[in-house]
Amino acid sequence: MKLNELAAGTNARVKTLQGDAHFLNRTASIGLTEGVPFQVVRNDRNMPMLLYVRETLLALNRADCERIEAEVKA
Amino acid sequence: MNRIALLGQPNSGKSTVFNQLTGSRQHVGNWPGKTVEKKDGTYTWNGQTYTVTDLPGSYGLSGNSDEEVITENYIKSGEADLVCVLVDASQLQRSMYMLAEFAELDTPAVLLLNMMDVAKMQNKEINAELLQEHLGIPVLPFTAAENKDYDALKTLFEKELASPHKLASVPVSADGAEVSAQDKYDWIDRMLAGVSEQRNTVYVMSKLDQKMTRPVLGKLISLGFVLLAFIAAFIICMPFMLIGSMIPPLLNPPIANFLNSLHVHPWAVSVFSLIIPNTLYFSISMEAFVFGVSTAFGYLEEIGMLARIAYQFDGILSKLGLQGKAVAPILMGFGCTIGGTTGTRVMDNWGQKMLAMAVVWAVPCGSIWAVMPVISGMFFPAWGTVLVCLGILLYMLVMMWIVAKVFGPKLSPESARAGMVMELPPVHKAHWGHILKEALYKAWDIFNRALRTVSLISLIFWALSYSSSGALEASLLYRIGTAIEPVTKIFGLGWRTFMGFLSSAFAKEAVLGVLNAIFVGQSSVLDATFNAKTVTMDAAALTGMMLQNVSKAEALAFIFACTFNVPCVMALSTTYRESHSLKWTARVAGFYIGGALILSGIVYHIASLFM
């Protein structure tokens, strides 16, 4: 499932991140790596997504969210 | 040499530590061959001088931007004897990533656990001693906004420069391949084992955040906060501005009388009695405004509110290629373009900063909103003036879009926009001492530069408009103006309105006075420009003369030309100072002047069809 398809309140893990080295470096430096658990805090249309990851509340571009695959925790 | 470098992610409080350590003993320049700002400063401690370098803000050291390359190369060069790495104690695991990237550079370091106050507020316990044991370098719990923590920091620097420590362990890859991001976080987890409890609790939004993050309500609350910030800024700066405005009438007559009694040349009299007191007045006004705006917006930033406002407007601004953070400078631009350009310091990298400044220029400042409706009122009925103002707002959006389209691809290329993220720090209490100190630094800096820039530009303008007989026709300005009138007519500007247009590049509040001087001729252009706020003018006479000499279409063209001309010279000089690029400042300025003339021409020719 793509990250931007997850509803607010969902707990999930990052499965894969797709993009060039620049994108991967950037996401890693803010705490988004493969396997990291996170919580979707808000997901509103035309707004950045709000994620809670590694004790940080992050606002992430919607376009970037489409490049991140996540799996919902059972 | 005792050379210390500060390294940390953008929200780590690095610049606060830098400012608190070095105070006013700072030097700002460029990194060789780059537009990236280089900030050095010094302080003395126990009789020794220490040099501190504030390394450009970046999230990591993987060469993603000029900032990151510069930082990495600087540390590798060994120029710094000690690197002070800052991490956010309230988000320890994530912010340690910078330390993990730094680890590979094998340089003496200390770790600053900043924002201990926020960590404490969130009931996060951190065992700094254990972390120190794991890392092999000193770890200091710290709150950057607390003055009392700095003695411990300086003591630590002194000790470590004498006998430095390097990290005892570095991230390694499990399979011998290149060290991956995962390896770095694994290393962080090993370092943090037992240091802080990894509570995997569910995040619960605060009541305020539940409202602040809603798409519509959040935007309304954001605008409310910004409006309050403006009101606060004006309350703060009003007393200073009042005092400043008393300077020219107080100083002008005595200086003029004194110099006249010495029988010095009238040139010198007008330089000293007109330009110097007015330069002082201008500089104080600007300083006061920047102080007010910096205090109010500094407060919003410090408590974490600015990040939430940025989040609200990120979607809209990303269409311009800008981060949400640009919302604050753009809104500040409605008050004063100088405030707006200094506000772009929050942007992540140089390209974003320069683009934000170029966009801020399109926002009509407070002076424009004070002057243009008056001019419009001379030609159009009230409802017409309302339409003119709406037209200005509408074209502002168009201009912002044009600027973003023209300069965006170069300044903020699609590839560099990837992963444009921000963090929303928990809303917390403000440290007022720190906010005021930062605002004072900015205001002082503006005051100093204003004195220099305004004096220089004033002298040039003064020379152009000086006339020995006092008659306008004897000035250089008149001769140039009338000579090029055939050209300016194409843009719908006669020589008189073209002079008004030129003066709008000097200061928007001077436009009315200059028009008054040119059309009514009761005071000289000189007095009008420099005593913009003190020259009395006969509004009825000016209106009458303008209506006789200027058509409605010309007036409309003039209003748009002045509004979307380059901002005042001080805003220009501030942009140069903030961007460190004369080339880009000139490029954007040229674009605005050309754009304003073309706009003027379009408005004139279209309006001529109807009026």
Side-chain angles (χ1 to χ4, degrees):
Chain A
M1 226 177 172
K2 279 182 186 167
L3 180 54
N4 57 317
E5 293 164 356
L6 300 178
T10 313
N11 282 298
R13 274 176 195 281
V14 173
K15 206 165 141 201
T16 54
L17 297 134
Q18 266 156 13
D20 53 11
H22 180 91
F23 177 71
L24 295 178
N25 280 329
R26 190 53 134 198
T27 46
S29 68
I30 53 154
L32 284 171
T33 49
E34 282 174 18
V36 73
F38 66 88
Q39 179 188 338
V40 179
V41 177
R42 278 205 90 107
N43 184 359
D44 299 305
R45 218 177 306 157
N46 294 326
M47 297 274 288
M49 276 188 82
L50 273 190
L51 304 179
Y52 188 65
V53 56
R54 295 186 203 264
E55 296 177 278
T56 310
L57 189 57
L58 278 183
L60 197 60
N61 266 8
R62 297 201 76 79
D64 293 333
C65 292
E66 284 178 32
R67 297 150 85 177
I68 300 171
E69 282 283 328
E71 54 186 356
V72 179
K73 272 196 258 185
Chain B
M1 268 305 273
N2 298 315
R3 197 172 263 279
I4 302 151
L6 301 178
L7 177 70
Q9 292 192 340
N11 287 315
S12 60
K14 193 164 53 77
S15 48
T16 309
V17 173
F18 178 75
N19 287 338
Q20 294 270 5
L21 274 176
T22 60
S24 54
R25 293 168 304 276
Q26 294 183 4
H27 172 78
V28 182
N30 277 18
W31 290 90
K34 299 282 185 205
T35 42
V36 178
E37 194 167 80
K38 184 178 198 292
K39 285 167 85 179
D40 290 306
T42 58
Y43 70 90
T44 28
W45 178 253
N46 285 343
Q48 287 228 54
T49 303
Y50 295 81
T51 307
V52 187
T53 301
D54 186 4
L55 294 173
S58 57
Y59 280 93
L61 294 172
S62 304
N64 283 323
S65 61
D66 274 357
E67 282 83 356
E68 292 190 13
V69 173
I70 286 168
T71 299
E72 188 180 350
N73 287 343
Y74 181 79
I75 297 171
K76 275 186 180 162
S77 77
E79 227 180 287
D81 304 302
L82 182 67
V83 177
C84 174
V85 184
L86 287 94
V87 294
D88 180 344
S90 71
Q91 312 171 342
L92 196 50
Q93 190 198 34
R94 190 189 61 84
S95 65
M96 286 265 287
Y97 190 77
M98 183 57 108
L99 185 71
E101 298 236 282
F102 166 80
E104 293 166 23
L105 300 177
D106 193 35
T107 306
V110 298
L111 185 71
L112 215 56
L113 286 180
N114 197 13
M115 318 226 176
M116 283 303 283
D117 55 339
V118 180
K120 220 165 256 166
M121 193 185 81
Q122 299 175 334
N123 295 317
K124 281 179 182 156
E125 300 268 348
I126 296 166
N127 186 342
E129 278 139 45
L130 185 62
L131 181 58
Q132 177 163 326
E133 213 172 281
H134 289 171
L135 290 171
I137 59 169
V139 174
L140 184 69
F142 200 76
T143 300
E146 292 280 359
N147 285 332
K148 61 176 170 52
D149 283 6
Y150 284 84
D151 282 358
L153 182 62
K154 290 173 183 170
T155 311
L156 180 66
F157 284 160
E158 182 183 26
K159 208 176 103 225
E160 286 302 306
L161 283 162
S163 56
H165 291 85
K166 285 182 183 179
L167 282 167
S169 104
V170 294
V172 284
S173 77
D175 48 9
E178 210 182 321
V179 179
S180 69
Q182 193 53 54
D183 296 329
K184 287 170 189 161
Y185 279 108
D186 288 344
W187 176 79
I188 293 170
D189 286 339
R190 286 201 299 279
M191 294 299 112
L192 290 181
V195 169
S196 79
E197 214 181 314
Q198 266 298 325
R199 291 170 308 169
N200 211 351
T201 47
V202 177
Y203 180 74
V204 183
M205 267 204 285
S206 69
K207 284 241 168 65
L208 177 70
D209 268 347
Q210 283 176 16
K211 297 196 176 79
M212 277 298 300
T213 54
R214 279 173 54 181
V216 178
L217 184 66
K219 285 191 185 62
L220 292 176
I221 299 176
S222 297
L223 290 174
F225 270 114
V226 170
L227 201 65
L228 279 177
F230 266 122
I231 294 170
F234 271 107
I235 293 172
I236 296 168
C237 76
M238 270 326 263
F240 297 97
M241 284 198 172
L242 272 176
I243 295 169
S245 69
M246 290 190 290
I247 291 177
L250 269 179
L251 286 186
N252 186 321
I255 295 179
N257 290 340
F258 174 71
L259 291 176
N260 280 328
S261 71
L262 294 180
H263 300 291
V264 294
H265 194 276
W267 273 61
V269 178
S270 73
V271 165
F272 284 100
S273 68
L274 265 185
I275 294 182
I276 290 177
N278 279 289
T279 302
L280 257 177
Y281 166 44
F282 266 134
S283 308
I284 289 175
S285 304
M286 279 163 192
E287 174 239 61
F289 192 82
V290 168
F291 179 70
V293 164
S294 307
T295 307
F297 280 84
Y299 174 76
L300 288 185
E301 187 183 4
E302 165 109 2
I303 64 170
M305 198 52 73
L306 214 49
R308 281 151 179 80
I309 298 173
Y311 160 74
Q312 282 295 342
F313 292 95
D314 191 81
I316 298 166
L317 288 170
S318 66
K319 295 196 171 64
L320 296 178
L322 283 170
Q323 292 169 289
K325 285 176 187 176
V327 73
I330 288 172
L331 290 171
M332 282 189 227
F334 279 105
C336 169
T337 313
I338 302 164
T341 41
T342 52
T344 59
R345 283 183 201 177
V346 295
M347 308 303 289
D348 273 356
N349 58 52
W350 181 83
Q352 281 284 315
K353 191 173 164 182
M354 187 67 227
L355 185 59
M357 285 191 274
V359 168
V360 164
W361 280 19
V363 179
C365 72
S367 297
I368 290 177
W369 292 116
V371 169
M372 294 309 151
V374 176
I375 298 178
S376 170
M378 295 176 187
F379 292 88
F380 307 108
W383 62 267
T385 298
V386 172
L387 283 184
V388 168
C389 290
L390 284 177
I392 287 176
L393 276 177
L394 200 68
Y395 188 72
M396 174 193 86
L397 297 176
V398 175
M399 188 66 185
M400 287 165 99
W401 184 82
I402 294 175
V403 168
K405 285 296 156 224
V406 170
F407 297 111
K410 201 80 179 277
L411 292 172
S412 165
E414 207 71 45
S415 64
R417 293 181 197 178
M420 239 198 249
V421 283
M422 64 198 139
E423 44 170 304
L424 306 188
V427 172
H428 56 93
K429 270 197 335 217
H431 297 267
W432 275 106
H434 162 64
I435 294 170
L436 290 173
K437 220 185 232 178
E438 300 262 309
L440 269 176
Y441 285 140
K442 274 191 198 168
W444 177 243
D445 174 59
I446 290 290
F447 180 70
N448 275 326
R449 254 161 348 98
L451 274 183
R452 269 175 283 156
T453 317
V454 177
S455 331
L456 183 73
I457 301 292
S458 302
L459 268 172
I460 296 171
F461 203 80
W462 172 84
L464 283 175
S465 55
Y466 181 81
S467 107
S468 50
S469 64
L472 187 60
E473 286 69 23
S475 71
L476 219 59
L477 203 61
Y478 171 82
R479 270 176 255 171
I480 297 172
T482 44
I484 62 170
E485 192 172 29
V487 180
T488 60
K489 268 286 180 198
I490 300 171
F491 305 110
L493 297 169
W495 73 266
R496 293 184 181 90
T497 39
F498 187 71
M499 273 194 208
F501 172 74
L502 286 183
S503 69
S504 74
F506 177 77
K508 308 288 172 194
E509 57 268 42
V511 171
L512 266 184
V514 169
L515 289 179
N516 188 56
I518 297 172
F519 283 102
V520 183
Q522 272 168 354
S523 53
S524 70
V525 178
L526 207 59
D527 279 322
T529 309
F530 297 114
N531 288 333
K533 283 187 177 143
T534 45
V535 162
T536 51
M537 54 179 206
D538 186 344
L542 177 58
T543 308
M545 289 303 288
M546 295 241 338
L547 282 174
Q548 264 178 42
N549 290 289
V550 179
S551 73
K552 284 188 175 179
E554 279 179 298
L556 199 61
F558 175 70
I559 289 169
F560 274 87
C562 289
T563 303
F564 294 101
N565 193 2
V566 284
C568 65
V569 277
M570 265 311 292
L572 239 81
S573 126
T574 313
T575 303
Y576 170 47
R577 148 84 199 238
E578 290 294 327
S579 66
H580 299 280
S581 169
L582 192 60
K583 191 182 87 183
W584 272 97
T585 309
R587 201 180 270 187
V588 177
F591 183 79
Y592 267 83
I593 296 172
L597 287 173
I598 292 170
L599 174 69
S600 173
I602 294 173
V603 171
Y604 172 68
H605 290 290
I606 293 179
S608 302
L609 299 176
F610 302 100
M611 292 172 182

